Amino acid sequence: MRTDARRHHDPDVRGFASDNYAGVHPEILAALALANGGHQVSYGEDDYTAHLQYVMRSHFGPHAQAFPVFNGTGSNVVALQALTDRWGAVICADSAHINVDECGAPERVGGLKLLTVPTEDGKLTPELIDRQAWGWDDEHRAMPQVVSIAQNTELGTVYTVDEIRAICEHAHERGMKVHLDGARLANAAAFLDVPMRAFTNAAGVDILSFGGTKNGMLFGEAVVVLDPDAMGAMKHLRKLSMQLASKMRFISVQLEALLARDLWLRNARHANTMAQRLADGVRAVDGVRILHPVQANAVFARLRHEVSERLQKRYRFYFWDETAGDVRWMCSYDTTEDDVDGFITALKEEMGRV
């Protein structure tokens, strides 16, 4: 039986559930087509992965080395393993993605213990880190070896350059390394209006999970090693964690297209701008409260549960805390002003039916 490829979705349907819902940026698709001709050596020995190193160093300093991987969870697991011993532990916010959204992968796959700290805004501080930074000589306790922060945090908040530098200095003074989960790193740089290096290698971060899928790529992320001492085991850890792509050129060329010029920044700025437009419109609606500062491309809000349920039939989005009525609305590189304005109109209509 012959089957033909056909479209299975309505491209006019838009949502605010996740920036993962967006399609692939046309410039990324063009890069994939460019890399598709002929043969290239597999498992990262290709020309595109080699050139990616120069591109990454232009953003993250002369010692940076990128290891492309399939996805964000894999990137975090590989990065954290590179900085820890078998008895090591990772200090993170209790809301961190590695703690609540990765199905226990850092602990079950990476063999790590997560030491969590409650935060109000998703951000760690030196004082909060010290709640778990103890017991290095106690054989009965997993040893704190890494502090993991996210930029942006899971609550959409952004660390300043000085905040990250203070965390790195504090962690290093105590003999710990710093991992940065940068699934939405570009959005943070766009909000702060600084180069990505300002709050990564220049601030003292040792290893970075760089995200591309949420910013216009088809698939793929990268572990970017900034501390040369963490480099040795990376090739083995990536393979052991099932993150070594045979046709790696198709991840590397996407990262190159995103980073070689300003596509990463254009996409992130647009998504952030749309989130601000959404937040401004929502603030004018009685009965809706924005929960956290809108600093990147996420808006967290609280409204009546039944209103959200009706609104979800018109636009996709997720509950963040269903019991409290908290929701998350995400904007992406392809969110339009009409998308935002249509959503705000629908929200007002559903609130009027309360």
Side-chain angles (χ1 to χ4, degrees):
M1 179 190 301
R2 177 182 145 187
T3 59
D4 295 320
R6 62 185 67 190
R7 190 187 295 276
H8 294 285
H9 78 289
D10 182 350
D12 294 326
V13 172
R14 318 290 283 189
F16 293 85
S18 174
D19 35 14
N20 286 321
Y21 279 38
V24 184
H25 192 280
E27 293 179 36
I28 302 291
L29 283 175
L32 284 165
L34 178 70
N36 194 43
H39 287 198
Q40 278 277 286
V41 184
S42 58
Y43 297 110
E45 299 298 320
D46 58 275
D47 293 339
Y48 296 91
T49 302
H51 188 262
L52 176 64
Q53 305 307 322
Y54 297 102
V55 175
M56 282 292 186
R57 287 168 190 156
S58 72
H59 289 283
F60 300 111
H63 302 297
Q65 185 166 345
F67 294 83
V69 296
F70 287 113
N71 53 50
T73 296
S75 177
N76 287 334
V77 170
V78 171
L80 293 173
Q81 287 182 96
L83 299 181
T84 52
D85 296 310
R86 286 286 295 151
W87 51 89
V90 177
I91 299 172
C92 64
D94 60 354
S95 59
H97 197 276
I98 60 174
N99 185 49
V100 300
D101 282 313
E102 295 188 350
C103 197
E107 295 178 316
R108 295 182 64 86
V109 178
L112 303 166
K113 173 67 176 175
L114 299 182
L115 303 174
T116 62
V117 182
T119 71
E120 292 186 0
D121 57 2
K123 294 162 67 174
L124 291 178
T125 64
E127 294 73 23
L128 290 175
I129 289 168
D130 280 346
R131 294 185 183 182
Q132 292 284 13
W134 55 273
W136 287 278
D137 294 325
D138 183 354
E139 67 267 33
H140 301 287
R141 187 173 193 263
M143 182 186 291
Q145 292 184 318
V146 177
V147 174
S148 180
I149 59 177
Q151 180 79 315
N152 319 322
T153 73
E154 281 297 284
L155 303 182
T157 52
V158 174
Y159 287 94
T160 66
V161 174
D162 288 342
E163 286 172 336
I164 292 183
R165 183 179 293 112
I167 286 171
C168 292
E169 290 175 355
H170 191 75
H172 292 159
E173 286 172 359
R174 283 152 178 75
M176 298 185 292
K177 301 289 189 178
V178 178
H179 162 254
L180 193 150
D181 179 350
R184 297 183 175 94
L185 193 74
N187 299 91
F191 173 75
L192 295 172
D193 196 24
V194 298
M196 291 184 287
R197 70 175 69 89
F199 54 86
T200 54
N201 58 297
V205 171
D206 296 291
I207 201 164
L208 163 69
S209 300
F210 181 82
T213 307
K214 293 176 171 61
N215 201 26
M217 284 174 48
L218 172 62
F219 67 95
E221 320 283 309
V223 179
V224 184
V225 182
L226 306 173
D227 174 13
D229 292 338
M231 200 81 69
M234 277 299 304
K235 292 175 68 174
H236 303 285
L237 287 172
R238 180 173 57 179
K239 177 67 173 182
L240 180 67
S241 301
M242 297 172 284
Q243 289 292 319
L244 179 63
S246 57
K247 297 185 179 182
M248 195 180 296
R249 59 171 152 158
F250 295 109
I251 301 177
S252 298
V253 74
Q254 293 181 76
L255 290 164
E256 179 186 352
L258 194 67
L259 291 168
R261 296 184 178 85
D262 66 344
L263 180 59
W264 66 275
L265 186 57
R266 282 187 280 128
N267 285 355
R269 279 178 173 165
H270 178 82
N272 289 4
T273 299
M274 292 301 99
Q276 289 293 336
R277 185 182 184 92
L278 176 59
D280 290 343
V282 167
R283 288 190 183 98
V285 181
D286 290 336
V288 182
R289 180 161 69 93
I290 293 179
L291 299 175
H292 305 293
V294 180
Q295 297 178 325
N297 62 325
V299 179
F300 290 82
R302 179 172 296 167
L303 62 159
R304 293 182 62 169
H305 190 280
E306 62 269 24
V307 173
S308 290
E309 286 189 320
R310 293 198 301 269
L311 190 58
Q312 283 178 324
K313 296 177 181 178
R314 302 171 68 172
Y315 290 89
R316 286 293 301 269
F317 61 89
Y318 293 118
F319 279 101
W320 193 254
D321 181 340
E322 193 162 1
T323 301
D326 298 350
V327 298
R328 186 191 73 169
W329 298 319
M330 296 295 301
C331 295
S332 62
Y333 82 88
D334 65 349
T335 301
T336 68
E337 292 183 357
D338 287 344
D339 294 335
V340 173
D341 295 345
F343 180 82
I344 293 170
T345 297
L347 173 63
K348 291 178 179 177
E349 292 172 354
E350 297 303 337
M351 288 296 295
R353 294 174 55 192
V354 173

